Amino acid sequence: MRKIASTFCCILMLCGCAEHDPILPGKRTPVFDTQKITILNTSIQNLPDKLADEKIEDCPYTQDSSNIIRDGDRKIFSGFPTNNAVASNQKPVCKSGYVYAGLTTGEVVKIAPKSKKIMWIADVFRKSNLTGGASIVDIVSPLVVKDGYVYACGLGDAFCRINTISGAKDWCIEISSAVPFILVNNVAFVTGTDNYLYAVNIKDGSVYWRCEIEKQVAPVYDNKVITVGKLKINAENGEVIK
C-alpha cells in the first residue's frame, strides 16, 4: 500500500509541476488537452497553384540535443538534457528579434537573445504523456512562425498553434511528426508518424481529410498536388493520383 501511495503522489507531483510550477524561468503555458482527430472528409477551396515566397530571417544561433542554444560561443539558453532524445538537426527560428526553439523535452521556448530572457515556454505534448515514464516528446519537426503564431509538431502526440506574444495555445490536435510540415494559405499539410498525411485547417485545428502514405517524408506542394515520397495526392480532396 505504501508503494502504491508513493507512486500516486509522484504522479501528482509530476503533473502539478508540468502544469503550474515552471522549472525554467518565464511564463509557461500548460499541457493542452489535445483534441481527438475528427476527419471532416471535405474538400479544400481556393488553394493556390504555388507556395507563397516567405522571407526567412537569417538565424545564426545553434542548438544541440542537450537543449543548449548558443550565439557563437555565448550561451543564450540552457534547457534540460534527456536520455531519450531523438537524433535530429533541429535549428532555432528567428522572427522579429526573437528566437524560437523546439526542445527534446517537448516544449517550445521564445527567447530574447540579447538579454537571454525567456519570454514564455509552451508544452507541446499530450497530457497523458506525463505518466508515460520514458515517453519520447522531442520536437523534431522544424517550427514554422507565421502571422503571429508558432506552429509546432513533435513526437508527443500534439500539433499546436501557439500565440507568439503570449505563448498561449489556440488548439492542439493528436498528430505526431518527425519531418517538416508545410503551410499553404490556411492549411497545414502534416506527415504523421502513423503513416497518414493530414490536411489541417490552421484556424481551428479541424482536419479536412487524411490520406494513408507509404513513407514518412516531408510533403512537397506544387500545382495543388502534394508529393510524399513517390506518392502524389490531390491537395484539395486527399485522393491519391493514379
mmCIF file with all atom_site columns, all heavy atoms in Angstrom, residues 136-153:
data_model
loop_
_atom_site.group_PDB
_atom_site.id
_atom_site.type_symbol
_atom_site.label_atom_id
_atom_site.label_alt_id
_atom_site.label_comp_id
_atom_site.label_asym_id
_atom_site.label_entity_id
_atom_site.label_seq_id
_atom_site.pdbx_PDB_ins_code
_atom_site.Cartn_x
_atom_site.Cartn_y
_atom_site.Cartn_z
_atom_site.occupancy
_atom_site.B_iso_or_equiv
_atom_site.pdbx_formal_charge
_atom_site.auth_seq_id
_atom_site.auth_comp_id
_atom_site.auth_asym_id
_atom_site.auth_atom_id
_atom_site.pdbx_PDB_model_num
ATOM 1   N N   . ILE A 1 136 ? 8.825  9.649  -25.406 1.00 0.00 ? 136 ILE A N   1
ATOM 2   C CA  . ILE A 1 136 ? 9.579  10.478 -26.335 1.00 0.00 ? 136 ILE A CA  1
ATOM 3   C C   . ILE A 1 136 ? 8.690  11.648 -26.726 1.00 0.00 ? 136 ILE A C   1
ATOM 4   O O   . ILE A 1 136 ? 7.627  11.462 -27.319 1.00 0.00 ? 136 ILE A O   1
ATOM 5   C CB  . ILE A 1 136 ? 9.987  9.687  -27.592 1.00 0.00 ? 136 ILE A CB  1
ATOM 6   C CG1 . ILE A 1 136 ? 10.830 8.478  -27.213 1.00 0.00 ? 136 ILE A CG1 1
ATOM 7   C CG2 . ILE A 1 136 ? 10.733 10.579 -28.566 1.00 0.00 ? 136 ILE A CG2 1
ATOM 8   C CD1 . ILE A 1 136 ? 12.168 8.803  -26.595 1.00 0.00 ? 136 ILE A CD1 1
ATOM 9   N N   . VAL A 1 137 ? 9.085  12.858 -26.358 1.00 0.00 ? 137 VAL A N   1
ATOM 10  C CA  . VAL A 1 137 ? 8.270  14.036 -26.649 1.00 0.00 ? 137 VAL A CA  1
ATOM 11  C C   . VAL A 1 137 ? 9.070  15.095 -27.413 1.00 0.00 ? 137 VAL A C   1
ATOM 12  O O   . VAL A 1 137 ? 8.684  16.255 -27.458 1.00 0.00 ? 137 VAL A O   1
ATOM 13  C CB  . VAL A 1 137 ? 7.678  14.642 -25.363 1.00 0.00 ? 137 VAL A CB  1
ATOM 14  C CG1 . VAL A 1 137 ? 6.672  13.698 -24.717 1.00 0.00 ? 137 VAL A CG1 1
ATOM 15  C CG2 . VAL A 1 137 ? 8.774  15.009 -24.362 1.00 0.00 ? 137 VAL A CG2 1
ATOM 16  N N   . ASP A 1 138 ? 10.175 14.698 -28.017 1.00 0.00 ? 138 ASP A N   1
ATOM 17  C CA  . ASP A 1 138 ? 11.035 15.636 -28.746 1.00 0.00 ? 138 ASP A CA  1
ATOM 18  C C   . ASP A 1 138 ? 10.250 16.405 -29.810 1.00 0.00 ? 138 ASP A C   1
ATOM 19  O O   . ASP A 1 138 ? 9.387  15.840 -30.493 1.00 0.00 ? 138 ASP A O   1
ATOM 20  C CB  . ASP A 1 138 ? 12.155 14.901 -29.484 1.00 0.00 ? 138 ASP A CB  1
ATOM 21  C CG  . ASP A 1 138 ? 13.023 14.051 -28.579 1.00 0.00 ? 138 ASP A CG  1
ATOM 22  O OD1 . ASP A 1 138 ? 12.453 13.326 -27.750 1.00 0.00 ? 138 ASP A OD1 1
ATOM 23  O OD2 . ASP A 1 138 ? 14.248 14.096 -28.721 1.00 0.00 ? 138 ASP A OD2 1
ATOM 24  N N   . ILE A 1 139 ? 10.604 17.663 -29.952 1.00 0.00 ? 139 ILE A N   1
ATOM 25  C CA  . ILE A 1 139 ? 10.100 18.436 -31.080 1.00 0.00 ? 139 ILE A CA  1
ATOM 26  C C   . ILE A 1 139 ? 11.182 18.405 -32.149 1.00 0.00 ? 139 ILE A C   1
ATOM 27  O O   . ILE A 1 139 ? 12.184 19.125 -32.072 1.00 0.00 ? 139 ILE A O   1
ATOM 28  C CB  . ILE A 1 139 ? 9.739  19.865 -30.668 1.00 0.00 ? 139 ILE A CB  1
ATOM 29  C CG1 . ILE A 1 139 ? 8.613  19.819 -29.628 1.00 0.00 ? 139 ILE A CG1 1
ATOM 30  C CG2 . ILE A 1 139 ? 9.315  20.695 -31.883 1.00 0.00 ? 139 ILE A CG2 1
ATOM 31  C CD1 . ILE A 1 139 ? 8.221  21.160 -29.069 1.00 0.00 ? 139 ILE A CD1 1
ATOM 32  N N   . VAL A 1 140 ? 10.994 17.519 -33.104 1.00 0.00 ? 140 VAL A N   1
ATOM 33  C CA  . VAL A 1 140 ? 11.981 17.276 -34.154 1.00 0.00 ? 140 VAL A CA  1
ATOM 34  C C   . VAL A 1 140 ? 11.599 18.024 -35.432 1.00 0.00 ? 140 VAL A C   1
ATOM 35  O O   . VAL A 1 140 ? 12.451 18.579 -36.120 1.00 0.00 ? 140 VAL A O   1
ATOM 36  C CB  . VAL A 1 140 ? 12.109 15.761 -34.434 1.00 0.00 ? 140 VAL A CB  1
ATOM 37  C CG1 . VAL A 1 140 ? 13.108 15.497 -35.551 1.00 0.00 ? 140 VAL A CG1 1
ATOM 38  C CG2 . VAL A 1 140 ? 12.533 15.022 -33.164 1.00 0.00 ? 140 VAL A CG2 1
ATOM 39  N N   . SER A 1 141 ? 10.317 18.046 -35.747 1.00 0.00 ? 141 SER A N   1
ATOM 40  C CA  . SER A 1 141 ? 9.857  18.756 -36.936 1.00 0.00 ? 141 SER A CA  1
ATOM 41  C C   . SER A 1 141 ? 10.125 20.250 -36.773 1.00 0.00 ? 141 SER A C   1
ATOM 42  O O   . SER A 1 141 ? 9.813  20.826 -35.733 1.00 0.00 ? 141 SER A O   1
ATOM 43  C CB  . SER A 1 141 ? 8.353  18.511 -37.122 1.00 0.00 ? 141 SER A CB  1
ATOM 44  O OG  . SER A 1 141 ? 7.858  19.228 -38.222 1.00 0.00 ? 141 SER A OG  1
ATOM 45  N N   . PRO A 1 142 ? 10.722 20.905 -37.760 1.00 0.00 ? 142 PRO A N   1
ATOM 46  C CA  . PRO A 1 142 ? 11.049 22.333 -37.633 1.00 0.00 ? 142 PRO A CA  1
ATOM 47  C C   . PRO A 1 142 ? 9.815  23.190 -37.363 1.00 0.00 ? 142 PRO A C   1
ATOM 48  O O   . PRO A 1 142 ? 8.729  22.943 -37.904 1.00 0.00 ? 142 PRO A O   1
ATOM 49  C CB  . PRO A 1 142 ? 11.663 22.669 -38.992 1.00 0.00 ? 142 PRO A CB  1
ATOM 50  C CG  . PRO A 1 142 ? 12.167 21.370 -39.521 1.00 0.00 ? 142 PRO A CG  1
ATOM 51  C CD  . PRO A 1 142 ? 11.205 20.334 -39.029 1.00 0.00 ? 142 PRO A CD  1
ATOM 52  N N   . LEU A 1 143 ? 9.994  24.201 -36.525 1.00 0.00 ? 143 LEU A N   1
ATOM 53  C CA  . LEU A 1 143 ? 8.916  25.140 -36.229 1.00 0.00 ? 143 LEU A CA  1
ATOM 54  C C   . LEU A 1 143 ? 8.638  26.021 -37.444 1.00 0.00 ? 143 LEU A C   1
ATOM 55  O O   . LEU A 1 143 ? 9.527  26.295 -38.250 1.00 0.00 ? 143 LEU A O   1
ATOM 56  C CB  . LEU A 1 143 ? 9.305  26.045 -35.063 1.00 0.00 ? 143 LEU A CB  1
ATOM 57  C CG  . LEU A 1 143 ? 9.750  25.390 -33.753 1.00 0.00 ? 143 LEU A CG  1
ATOM 58  C CD1 . LEU A 1 143 ? 10.107 26.477 -32.738 1.00 0.00 ? 143 LEU A CD1 1
ATOM 59  C CD2 . LEU A 1 143 ? 8.672  24.476 -33.197 1.00 0.00 ? 143 LEU A CD2 1
ATOM 60  N N   . VAL A 1 144 ? 7.387  26.477 -37.536 1.00 0.00 ? 144 VAL A N   1
ATOM 61  C CA  . VAL A 1 144 ? 7.023  27.473 -38.547 1.00 0.00 ? 144 VAL A CA  1
ATOM 62  C C   . VAL A 1 144 ? 6.400  28.654 -37.815 1.00 0.00 ? 144 VAL A C   1
ATOM 63  O O   . VAL A 1 144 ? 5.454  28.478 -37.042 1.00 0.00 ? 144 VAL A O   1
ATOM 64  C CB  . VAL A 1 144 ? 6.030  26.903 -39.579 1.00 0.00 ? 144 VAL A CB  1
ATOM 65  C CG1 . VAL A 1 144 ? 5.582  27.995 -40.541 1.00 0.00 ? 144 VAL A CG1 1
ATOM 66  C CG2 . VAL A 1 144 ? 6.650  25.740 -40.347 1.00 0.00 ? 144 VAL A CG2 1
ATOM 67  N N   . VAL A 1 145 ? 6.952  29.844 -38.026 1.00 0.00 ? 145 VAL A N   1
ATOM 68  C CA  . VAL A 1 145 ? 6.416  31.062 -37.412 1.00 0.00 ? 145 VAL A CA  1
ATOM 69  C C   . VAL A 1 145 ? 5.806  31.912 -38.517 1.00 0.00 ? 145 VAL A C   1
ATOM 70  O O   . VAL A 1 145 ? 6.503  32.296 -39.469 1.00 0.00 ? 145 VAL A O   1
ATOM 71  C CB  . VAL A 1 145 ? 7.518  31.852 -36.682 1.00 0.00 ? 145 VAL A CB  1
ATOM 72  C CG1 . VAL A 1 145 ? 6.918  33.066 -35.974 1.00 0.00 ? 145 VAL A CG1 1
ATOM 73  C CG2 . VAL A 1 145 ? 8.246  30.966 -35.673 1.00 0.00 ? 145 VAL A CG2 1
ATOM 74  N N   . LYS A 1 146 ? 4.500  32.194 -38.381 1.00 0.00 ? 146 LYS A N   1
ATOM 75  C CA  . LYS A 1 146 ? 3.812  32.909 -39.458 1.00 0.00 ? 146 LYS A CA  1
ATOM 76  C C   . LYS A 1 146 ? 2.618  33.680 -38.909 1.00 0.00 ? 146 LYS A C   1
ATOM 77  O O   . LYS A 1 146 ? 1.819  33.140 -38.141 1.00 0.00 ? 146 LYS A O   1
ATOM 78  C CB  . LYS A 1 146 ? 3.340  31.909 -40.527 1.00 0.00 ? 146 LYS A CB  1
ATOM 79  C CG  . LYS A 1 146 ? 2.657  32.558 -41.723 1.00 0.00 ? 146 LYS A CG  1
ATOM 80  C CD  . LYS A 1 146 ? 2.247  31.532 -42.759 1.00 0.00 ? 146 LYS A CD  1
ATOM 81  C CE  . LYS A 1 146 ? 1.569  32.178 -43.946 1.00 0.00 ? 146 LYS A CE  1
ATOM 82  N NZ  . LYS A 1 146 ? 1.144  31.180 -44.960 1.00 0.00 ? 146 LYS A NZ  1
ATOM 83  N N   . ASP A 1 147 ? 2.526  34.945 -39.293 1.00 0.00 ? 147 ASP A N   1
ATOM 84  C CA  . ASP A 1 147 ? 1.361  35.788 -38.984 1.00 0.00 ? 147 ASP A CA  1
ATOM 85  C C   . ASP A 1 147 ? 0.984  35.776 -37.510 1.00 0.00 ? 147 ASP A C   1
ATOM 86  O O   . ASP A 1 147 ? -0.197 35.665 -37.155 1.00 0.00 ? 147 ASP A O   1
ATOM 87  C CB  . ASP A 1 147 ? 0.158  35.350 -39.837 1.00 0.00 ? 147 ASP A CB  1
ATOM 88  C CG  . ASP A 1 147 ? 0.410  35.492 -41.320 1.00 0.00 ? 147 ASP A CG  1
ATOM 89  O OD1 . ASP A 1 147 ? 1.239  36.342 -41.707 1.00 0.00 ? 147 ASP A OD1 1
ATOM 90  O OD2 . ASP A 1 147 ? -0.207 34.736 -42.109 1.00 0.00 ? 147 ASP A OD2 1
ATOM 91  N N   . GLY A 1 148 ? 1.989  35.873 -36.638 1.00 0.00 ? 148 GLY A N   1
ATOM 92  C CA  . GLY A 1 148 ? 1.716  35.981 -35.215 1.00 0.00 ? 148 GLY A CA  1
ATOM 93  C C   . GLY A 1 148 ? 1.521  34.672 -34.482 1.00 0.00 ? 148 GLY A C   1
ATOM 94  O O   . GLY A 1 148 ? 1.113  34.667 -33.315 1.00 0.00 ? 148 GLY A O   1
ATOM 95  N N   . TYR A 1 149 ? 1.824  33.551 -35.137 1.00 0.00 ? 149 TYR A N   1
ATOM 96  C CA  . TYR A 1 149 ? 1.665  32.245 -34.500 1.00 0.00 ? 149 TYR A CA  1
ATOM 97  C C   . TYR A 1 149 ? 2.881  31.366 -34.768 1.00 0.00 ? 149 TYR A C   1
ATOM 98  O O   . TYR A 1 149 ? 3.534  31.484 -35.813 1.00 0.00 ? 149 TYR A O   1
ATOM 99  C CB  . TYR A 1 149 ? 0.411  31.527 -35.010 1.00 0.00 ? 149 TYR A CB  1
ATOM 100 C CG  . TYR A 1 149 ? -0.872 32.225 -34.629 1.00 0.00 ? 149 TYR A CG  1
ATOM 101 C CD1 . TYR A 1 149 ? -1.497 33.095 -35.519 1.00 0.00 ? 149 TYR A CD1 1
ATOM 102 C CD2 . TYR A 1 149 ? -1.447 32.027 -33.370 1.00 0.00 ? 149 TYR A CD2 1
ATOM 103 C CE1 . TYR A 1 149 ? -2.673 33.752 -35.166 1.00 0.00 ? 149 TYR A CE1 1
ATOM 104 C CE2 . TYR A 1 149 ? -2.616 32.680 -33.019 1.00 0.00 ? 149 TYR A CE2 1
ATOM 105 C CZ  . TYR A 1 149 ? -3.221 33.540 -33.911 1.00 0.00 ? 149 TYR A CZ  1
ATOM 106 O OH  . TYR A 1 149 ? -4.367 34.192 -33.557 1.00 0.00 ? 149 TYR A OH  1
ATOM 107 N N   . VAL A 1 150 ? 3.160  30.481 -33.805 1.00 0.00 ? 150 VAL A N   1
ATOM 108 C CA  . VAL A 1 150 ? 4.155  29.427 -33.990 1.00 0.00 ? 150 VAL A CA  1
ATOM 109 C C   . VAL A 1 150 ? 3.390  28.127 -34.183 1.00 0.00 ? 150 VAL A C   1
ATOM 110 O O   . VAL A 1 150 ? 2.487  27.803 -33.389 1.00 0.00 ? 150 VAL A O   1
ATOM 111 C CB  . VAL A 1 150 ? 5.074  29.274 -32.760 1.00 0.00 ? 150 VAL A CB  1
ATOM 112 C CG1 . VAL A 1 150 ? 6.111  28.182 -33.014 1.00 0.00 ? 150 VAL A CG1 1
ATOM 113 C CG2 . VAL A 1 150 ? 5.756  30.584 -32.434 1.00 0.00 ? 150 VAL A CG2 1
ATOM 114 N N   . TYR A 1 151 ? 3.737  27.397 -35.212 1.00 0.00 ? 151 TYR A N   1
ATOM 115 C CA  . TYR A 1 151 ? 3.147  26.074 -35.439 1.00 0.00 ? 151 TYR A CA  1
ATOM 116 C C   . TYR A 1 151 ? 4.217  25.045 -35.100 1.00 0.00 ? 151 TYR A C   1
ATOM 117 O O   . TYR A 1 151 ? 5.333  25.105 -35.624 1.00 0.00 ? 151 TYR A O   1
ATOM 118 C CB  . TYR A 1 151 ? 2.672  25.938 -36.884 1.00 0.00 ? 151 TYR A CB  1
ATOM 119 C CG  . TYR A 1 151 ? 1.555  26.920 -37.205 1.00 0.00 ? 151 TYR A CG  1
ATOM 120 C CD1 . TYR A 1 151 ? 1.854  28.196 -37.695 1.00 0.00 ? 151 TYR A CD1 1
ATOM 121 C CD2 . TYR A 1 151 ? 0.237  26.594 -36.966 1.00 0.00 ? 151 TYR A CD2 1
ATOM 122 C CE1 . TYR A 1 151 ? 0.839  29.111 -37.945 1.00 0.00 ? 151 TYR A CE1 1
ATOM 123 C CE2 . TYR A 1 151 ? -0.786 27.505 -37.231 1.00 0.00 ? 151 TYR A CE2 1
ATOM 124 C CZ  . TYR A 1 151 ? -0.474 28.754 -37.720 1.00 0.00 ? 151 TYR A CZ  1
ATOM 125 O OH  . TYR A 1 151 ? -1.480 29.662 -37.946 1.00 0.00 ? 151 TYR A OH  1
ATOM 126 N N   . ALA A 1 152 ? 3.876  24.134 -34.191 1.00 0.00 ? 152 ALA A N   1
ATOM 127 C CA  . ALA A 1 152 ? 4.860  23.168 -33.696 1.00 0.00 ? 152 ALA A CA  1
ATOM 128 C C   . ALA A 1 152 ? 4.254  21.779 -33.657 1.00 0.00 ? 152 ALA A C   1
ATOM 129 O O   . ALA A 1 152 ? 3.117  21.601 -33.204 1.00 0.00 ? 152 ALA A O   1
ATOM 130 C CB  . ALA A 1 152 ? 5.331  23.564 -32.292 1.00 0.00 ? 152 ALA A CB  1
ATOM 131 N N   . CYS A 1 153 ? 5.024  20.806 -34.121 1.00 0.00 ? 153 CYS A N   1
ATOM 132 C CA  . CYS A 1 153 ? 4.583  19.417 -34.086 1.00 0.00 ? 153 CYS A CA  1
ATOM 133 C C   . CYS A 1 153 ? 5.748  18.550 -33.635 1.00 0.00 ? 153 CYS A C   1
ATOM 134 O O   . CYS A 1 153 ? 6.820  18.567 -34.231 1.00 0.00 ? 153 CYS A O   1
ATOM 135 C CB  . CYS A 1 153 ? 4.101  18.969 -35.464 1.00 0.00 ? 153 CYS A CB  1
ATOM 136 S SG  . CYS A 1 153 ? 3.191  17.410 -35.455 1.00 0.00 ? 153 CYS A SG  1
#
